[in-house]
Amino acid sequence: MRHALLEGQRDIVLLLARVLLMILFVLAGWGKLTGFEGTVGYMTSLGAPMPTLAAAVAVIMEFVVGILLILGFYTRPLALLFALFVLGTALIGHPFWNMVDPERSANMTQFLKNLSIIGGLLALAVSGPGRFSLDKG
């Protein structure tokens, strides 16, 4: 029984997982796209190299790739690519080890949240998108 618990709902659960994993990023990517100058300013404040390019990459990854993952298009490779992107944002955007409380606690939570998202993306890369996807598998 424990191996077949959600087997009949596998495809709908994978669709739900894709939507839930990506909704945060799609909304954030849209905000970065519509406020691009502010995004470049934020990247500059983080010390990101080539802040305009970094902002463009963030928009493409969060908004475009996020939508592609929701749709289930090239799911396995894009989930792996997105996992690397999320790791990079965790390291650059939430360096809690260089901070003192209360910033340290808040950024450690954000860093760990990113690691959790990476876990979901890796599971998606291994499982595939399910039947309700453009990949159909």
Side-chain angles (χ1 to χ4, degrees), residues 11 19 50 52-53 60 62 69 75-76 80 86 89-90 92 106 122 125-126 136:
D11 294 315
V19 171
M50 297 182 285
T52 302
L53 179 60
I60 290 167
E62 291 182 3
L69 283 169
T75 303
R76 292 174 193 259
L80 288 174
V86 173
T89 62
I92 293 170
L122 292 176
V126 170
K136 304 279 188 222

Side-chain angles (χ1 to χ4, degrees), residues 58-79:
V59 167
I60 290 167
M61 289 301 297
E62 291 182 3
F63 189 68
V64 177
V65 175
I67 288 172
L68 291 175
L69 283 169
I70 288 173
L71 295 173
F73 184 71
Y74 278 88
T75 303
R76 292 174 193 259
L78 288 180

Side-chain angles (χ1 to χ4, degrees), residues 21-119:
L21 276 169
M22 290 296 111
I23 193 73
L24 164 77
F25 293 102
V26 171
L27 293 174
W30 177 251
K32 286 177 176 71
L33 177 62
T34 57
F36 192 74
E37 290 303 317
T39 303
V40 172
Y42 178 67
M43 295 296 176
T44 302
S45 76
L46 290 176
M50 297 182 285
T52 302
L53 179 60
V57 167
V59 167
I60 290 167
M61 289 301 297
E62 291 182 3
F63 189 68
V64 177
V65 175
I67 288 172
L68 291 175
L69 283 169
I70 288 173
L71 295 173
F73 184 71
Y74 278 88
T75 303
R76 292 174 193 259
L78 288 180
L80 288 174
L81 179 65
F82 212 96
L84 291 174
F85 170 75
V86 173
L87 178 61
T89 62
L91 293 170
I92 293 170
H94 305 293
F96 67 91
W97 50 89
N98 292 332
M99 300 175 178
V100 295
D101 280 327
E103 280 183 310
R104 178 183 180 91
S105 295
N107 277 275
M108 185 169 77
T109 298
Q110 293 299 314
F111 184 88
L112 294 172
K113 172 201 59 132
N114 283 20
L115 293 184
S116 297
I117 292 167
I118 291 168

